[in-house]
Amino acid sequence: MAPDDVRTRAQRPGGGAPSPPPVGLPGVVERAALSDLGAVALASAVAVGAWWSHPFPLAVSAAGVGAAFALRRPWLLVLAAAFLASSLGARAVAGMRPPAPAAYRGTVTLVGDPIDVAGGAQVEVRAGRRHLSLTASGPAAGSVRGHLAGDRLMVEGRIRPLTKPSAYLHARHVVGRMSVDRVVGVRSTALPWRLANMVHRAVGRAADWLPGRDRALYRGFLLGDARGQPVEVAADMRASGLGHLLVVSGENVAFLLTLLGPLLRRVGLRHRWLAVWAVVSSFAVLTRFEPSVLRAVAMAGLGAVAMARGTSASTLRLLALSVAGLVLLDPFLVHQVGFGLSVGATAGICLLGPPLADVLPGPRPLVLAAATTVAAQIGVAPLAVSVFGGLPVAALPANVLAAPAAAAVLVWGLPAGLLAQLLGGPVAGVLQFPTRLLVGWIAVIARWCAALPLGDFGRIEVALAAGAAVLVAVARRAGTRVRGAARSVAAALALVAVAVPWWGTAHPPARSRIAGGEVWRVGATVLVLTSGARPLDLFDALHRLGVRRIDLVVAPTGGLGPAGTIALLRTRWAIGAVLAPRDNEIRGATGATAGDRWQVGGLVVIATQAVPRLEVRVAPARVASPP
């Protein structure tokens, strides 16, 4: 049961009268005479209204929606829904009042799973009607780590406003912070969460039969659990455009429905829609209601309702109605990057996937995988470029090679893992051996593609690629001569879109400022770190710049932090030498004093200060001042 085009008539097996159609959003929209294009306009209007969040009178907006249904006026429905979303958004913003500093003793409900932070554990919680970011240290951190989303704890601590409000926390409805001194007790957990956490822990134990790296990836593929993932592996996944596999998404829902398809088809049409809703809702609880999963769950549920009613519902219609309904329920979804990327990828696949599959050459399975990947990447590109600064060109080959294995991890890895956890012993190792091969294959593809010096798509390249895809889509309905010309132009645009980022990495600037330092490249590569450089940021930046080797690393201090960062860098790049203060704990580092001078390729590095931290001046050799 998939949320693609639904054309099945709802009829009892063996004939007879159709079963009573359930009432759902598709039927409600039909009463408003809303076409597929009208559904897209509705979703767009709702999203714009939620983004605007102006406090229009809620009763008037709701009355406008009701009048649109009564009069069957699609344009009125679109307009009224925009005002309704704006009203609801304004109410949500008004409810984001920061709490006053105060002591707290009471019950909190974990909204997510705890993660390790410096000195303790952190998790998002709900205290009453407020969402807070809870931080626990000492013994309290150990108590918090032992629980999962949905668990309810009695805690003692203090509440305070956010010191640095962020767009991410705002989109999550988080209004303040809570520091916990003591976990007093545990309250009963709601049944759905207890069952979900049982499966969550079982999957976690099933991963114990895999090596350390594969164990973390396995949990990420199945549950979106990012805890314990090695920095270098997570960076490989991001740089290769495979990071979406480590967070649960609509793909997981589609794979799950495919896996359970034989069982769902044995359920009569009268109750199949309920079975589909039960499956996808359970998966949503298991994966902590991630925005991308909510989108897929809503589409699958609406598709099931449409099938039960015997009506037709295109993928585009299901997507638009899902977006409109979800944003009305939570207007802050328009600010969640994961939700936007999920919607963009689905829209791209829906609109551009079929025409691209028609023109790409090669074996059909490979063509479908390539068309889906390209269409999804074009769909997410506008948001990805604006938020992350670029979209890896390597994502195209990486997703084509890794997507089948990712699907197999869920189809085989989930049931085999649960069975292995029950049986244990040598049998468990045998059951999980295919999973180990699949996860290892994805990790190898991620590392290989992350190292490709292909660069990132920027705004111009995205526009060229999108133009090429649109030409291909339009050419499907044109004459033979026009179709051939359009495809030739599209191929030229696509080639330029791929060549420009590659040229940029092949001819880099002499100096590039990055998060955590700067990179100099003139006949050699010199990386100058800054204090507090985060390894994951460094990995991302170096991958984006297409750095293949680092001839010299300059560490400002010689403590354990820089030592660990450089050790991680060595796992992915060959490092020629390391400069650090004389008293350092970095393996193989050369101690520097003020005035020391080194020439590396076409660069000159001069130590201007060595105590208490090492500071250097880097310049091309032809313009460097004498020592």
Side-chain angles (χ1 to χ4, degrees), residues 120-207:
Q122 190 174 72
V123 64
E124 182 183 332
V125 299
R126 187 174 65 252
R129 301 183 64 179
R130 294 180 297 195
H131 281 226
L132 305 169
S133 177
L134 180 149
T135 302
S137 58
S143 300
V144 170
R145 287 192 190 100
H147 294 276
L148 296 174
D151 288 344
R152 301 170 67 237
L153 307 178
M154 275 286 296
V155 299
E156 290 181 353
R158 290 193 61 83
I159 295 177
R160 66 185 187 277
L162 294 172
T163 53
K164 293 183 179 179
S166 67
Y168 172 78
L169 292 176
H170 184 274
R172 299 281 300 179
H173 299 267
V174 175
V175 297
R177 296 191 180 278
M178 175 185 292
S179 56
V180 170
D181 303 320
R182 193 161 68 99
V183 176
V184 180
V186 179
R187 300 294 190 189
S188 61
T189 304
L191 179 61
W193 287 109
R194 286 207 304 271
L195 296 176
N197 289 341
M198 286 175 58
V199 176
H200 209 281
R201 290 187 172 95
V203 170
R205 289 191 295 269

Side-chain angles (χ1 to χ4, degrees), residues 94-117:
M96 294 287 290
R97 289 187 296 271
Y104 182 87
R105 177 184 172 90
T107 302
V108 298
T109 302
L110 274 60
V111 176
D113 298 325
I115 60 173
D116 290 330
V117 295

